[in-house]
Amino acid sequence: MARIAVIGAGTGAMAAAARLAVAGHRVTVYERSRTYGGSLGRHARDGFVFDTGPSLLHLPAVYRDLFVKTGKESLEQCVTLTQVDPASRHLFADGTAVSLPNASRAGVVGALDAALGEGSGARWGEFLDRAGTAWDRSRRPLLEEPLRDDHQVLGRDPYPAVRRRRLLRSARQARTVAEVGSVELADPRLAALLDGYALSYGLDPRHAPAAAALLPYMEETFGSWYVAGGMRALADAVYERCLARRVTFVFGAEVVRVTEKDGRAAGVELADGESVEADHVVLGAQPRPELSPGQEPLPGGAPGERPGVERGRVPGRFLVLLSLRGAREAGAVHRTVVHPADGAAEQEAVFGGRAAERPTVTVLRPDDPATRPDGEHEAVTLMATVAPHGPVDWTDAVLCERFAESMIGRAAEAVPGLRERMIRSETRTPADTAADTGAEGGSVPAPALAGADGAFLHSGNRTPLPGLYLAGGWSHPGGGMAHAGMSGALVAGLVVEGDGFRGSR
């Protein structure tokens, strides 16, 4: 039995803790805040309840595996999962609207043809076929294995971009998300649809490699799922599973340093001066020099040193939480994305450290009695990807009010009578995220991607300091609920089986 100290109580860290405890180790989690869950926060007031982090679960198989491997009760016995159908509704600047069915390729193709014109669905379907090839080529080395020592192989883009011949000019082949939109999808609305997927994960379509196509492929193939009570209920279930496996949690305990002895991690030092010995340390928070001694830079450069992203400008999220009077109308869609007329201007602002004038707004309207005081009210969340706190001062009340008003104005296109129904609006900014989670600037890590010479990879789960491991969204395979859960499985495998561990098959 080894003593294991876990820094942070995010979902990736808790996933590692539960698996390690089942393997017979004595696991203690040290969390700087007063609660668990990391980005899976919850805001409740006067009977209205809102998620303050991710709102939908994609690739639920990751958490099904976690619950199968750590206890008798399955994921579905611990939380209620419902497929969201339609998966999303999209409102484009020209007034066109389309609702995309959940996990139905034929349904998506038909919906796009009907809304955008004959042939639109076929182009999107052919794109998803190529995205599926990228998924098949990169799934195991990118998502299911620890980052390889020869990670340079992931620098090659697995997306089989179409080669377009041009008269009297060299052939053109898409290398980025934006180029896939312009070269392969042609219709600006389809391009906006693809850009919206990338932006929702905090990726700049102008620079993210074409391999980012696997993100819409993942959502449209494996579906979008809602957790009854909100995504915080999933954090509750993972926490309860940890407790059942006798994982110890110490809240309000900030770790300031990983200690070393004889060339390996030997424990942690807390802010109050207490030193705790451990045989292994798992860092489930954003790496900092004092918490990850000897850690080499990310293979492609740290976030904020990637193509087109200045240092310290990894995006965050701006939320507007709306308490509304009046029942949710019949046929309302859970998730609606309102796309701007000028996506390039928004991208320039978000990744250039400014507040966008007209952001892409995601409107979330769960049909869940647990989120509202009664059937005559509704809780609605508006979300936009924004520049982090620092480049933009998200503590500026005037700026926040103006930005929230812009989002509400755009969301009114999706929610009938929105302004007349408003009881109260509250905002959650990257500055709030930074205070709650400790992430610099309130940034939200993006998923790892192959291609771009490895510039979109994350730090490996192993570190140069023996006994120190990295879990969670800031490490391989990156951000997002599914990816964080995968990182927990990879770290547990490395601790239990050693450096020869290559992932489960």
Side-chain angles (χ1 to χ4, degrees), residues 164-172:
R164 302 289 191 193
R165 293 181 177 178
R166 298 183 294 175
L167 185 64
L168 302 179
R169 290 186 290 175
S170 60
R172 189 180 182 192

Side-chain angles (χ1 to χ4, degrees), residues 145 147-155 457 462 502:
E145 295 181 351
L147 190 65
R148 298 163 54 162
D149 292 333
D150 61 340
H151 54 72
Q152 292 81 1
V153 301
L154 289 171
L457 298 176
R462 283 187 300 261
R502 299 310 304 163

Side-chain angles (χ1 to χ4, degrees), residues 139-465:
R139 176 178 59 85
R140 183 160 183 81
L142 183 67
L143 302 177
E144 298 177 354
E145 295 181 351
L147 190 65
R148 298 163 54 162
D149 292 333
D150 61 340
H151 54 72
Q152 292 81 1
V153 301
L154 289 171
R156 296 192 292 270
D157 198 317
Y159 179 79
V162 175
R163 193 172 180 82
R164 302 289 191 193
R165 293 181 177 178
R166 298 183 294 175
L167 185 64
L168 302 179
R169 290 186 290 175
S170 60
R172 189 180 182 192
Q173 195 168 17
R175 295 174 299 173
T176 67
V177 169
E179 290 175 354
V180 170
S182 62
V183 175
E184 298 181 3
L185 297 178
D187 189 316
R189 295 165 297 184
L190 291 179
L193 178 61
L194 178 57
D195 284 357
Y197 275 110
L199 190 64
S200 70
Y201 283 94
L203 295 164
D204 185 345
R206 301 167 302 170
H207 299 283
L214 61 81
L215 299 173
Y217 174 84
M218 181 178 73
E219 289 196 21
E220 294 193 16
T221 301
F222 303 110
S224 298
W225 300 76
Y226 177 71
V227 181
M231 284 286 281
R232 177 68 184 184
L234 179 59
D236 294 341
V238 177
Y239 174 68
E240 292 295 334
R241 179 54 54 90
C242 285
L243 294 181
R245 301 284 76 82
R246 299 185 179 180
V247 174
T248 299
F249 285 80
V250 183
F251 295 107
E254 182 177 4
V255 175
V256 296
R257 190 167 68 91
V258 173
T259 57
E260 300 178 52
K261 183 178 181 181
D262 299 328
R264 64 173 290 115
V268 297
E269 181 181 322
L270 305 182
D272 63 5
E274 180 184 358
S275 292
V276 179
E277 294 183 353
D279 301 297
H280 302 280
V281 177
V282 177
L283 174 58
Q286 186 175 18
R288 303 192 302 271
E290 64 274 21
L291 294 182
S292 49
Q295 177 65 20
E296 298 170 349
L298 300 184
E305 295 174 347
R306 292 172 176 165
V309 183
E310 294 184 29
R311 184 170 182 82
R313 292 189 177 176
V314 177
R317 304 288 185 266
F318 190 105
L319 303 179
V320 181
L321 313 178
L322 298 176
S323 301
L324 304 183
R325 62 176 60 88
R328 183 179 187 268
E329 75 274 12
V333 176
H334 184 114
R335 176 175 58 168
T336 299
V337 182
V338 185
H339 297 271
D342 190 350
E346 178 188 18
Q347 294 156 26
E348 182 65 34
V350 171
F351 296 95
R354 303 190 308 279
E357 292 294 327
R358 292 181 63 79
T360 299
V361 176
T362 298
V363 183
L364 299 163
R365 307 179 66 190
D367 186 11
D368 184 352
T371 66
R372 56 191 183 240
D374 53 50
E376 297 304 313
H377 293 85
E378 183 182 8
V380 173
T381 300
L382 314 182
M383 190 278 287
T385 299
V386 297
H389 179 57
V392 175
D393 181 5
W394 290 116
T395 63
D396 183 331
V398 174
L399 170 64
C400 290
E401 182 178 358
R402 185 171 68 245
F403 195 81
E405 277 298 309
S406 172
M407 291 178 64
I408 292 170
R410 311 220 59 219
E413 300 175 34
V415 183
L418 176 61
R419 289 192 181 277
E420 293 75 16
R421 297 175 59 197
M422 286 175 52
I423 299 171
R424 180 175 55 251
S425 69
E426 300 173 83
T427 61
R428 299 284 298 176
T429 76
D432 297 316
T433 303
D436 290 345
T437 69
E440 183 180 359
S443 294
V444 178
L449 297 173
D453 295 324
F456 289 80
L457 298 176
H458 290 256
S459 297
N461 308 108
R462 283 187 300 261
T463 75
L465 180 65

